[in-house]
Amino acid sequence: FLDAGHPVLRLGRGAENDIVVKDTLASRLHARLELHKKKVLLVDQSLNGTYYRMEGEEGGFLRRDEQTLRGRGVISLGRTPESNAEHRILFTCG
């Protein structure tokens, strides 16, 4: 959970992450979720990129970029959410 006491969650293959994704296309330190003034920011820092989809919206792809997340949706490290059912990360903002 993101809150004022824990404003950053790290995502990736390495054991030091808050959310560990054991997938060969996930980087050791792949992405972060950051809380900024009640907004959730997805920050990709990988070579393979991060896919995301928010409920009711088109999906997107980030590579060394960031996106504000809204509502509910899914994040997938290095693969499309459709091809990565085992390692998808579900989120709810708000």
Side-chain angles (χ1 to χ4, degrees):
F1 289 96
L2 288 174
D3 59 25
H6 198 253
V8 177
L9 285 176
R10 296 170 302 166
L11 311 139
R13 195 178 69 244
E16 68 276 13
N17 291 290
D18 299 296
I19 298 175
V20 177
V21 176
K22 295 290 186 184
D23 187 316
T24 57
L25 290 182
S27 299
R28 197 170 46 83
L29 298 169
H30 196 102
R32 299 184 313 274
L33 292 171
E34 300 179 354
L35 184 61
H36 289 282
K37 298 182 182 180
K38 297 187 181 183
K39 291 185 179 182
V40 176
L41 195 64
L42 171 61
V43 181
D44 177 78
Q45 54 195 47
S46 72
L47 293 175
N48 293 325
T50 301
Y51 293 84
Y52 64 92
R53 179 169 293 121
M54 292 176 269
E55 198 170 79
E57 297 185 29
E58 290 282 325
F61 176 75
L62 301 172
R63 181 177 290 130
R64 308 237 179 211
D65 203 357
E66 56 191 46
Q67 170 68 42
T68 300
L69 300 179
R70 299 172 295 283
R72 295 165 35 144
V74 64
I75 297 167
S76 182
L77 308 183
R79 302 178 194 270
T80 63
E82 297 79 19
S83 67
N84 197 19
E86 182 180 351
H87 299 292
R88 291 184 301 184
I89 300 163
L90 303 178
F91 68 85
T92 301
C93 302

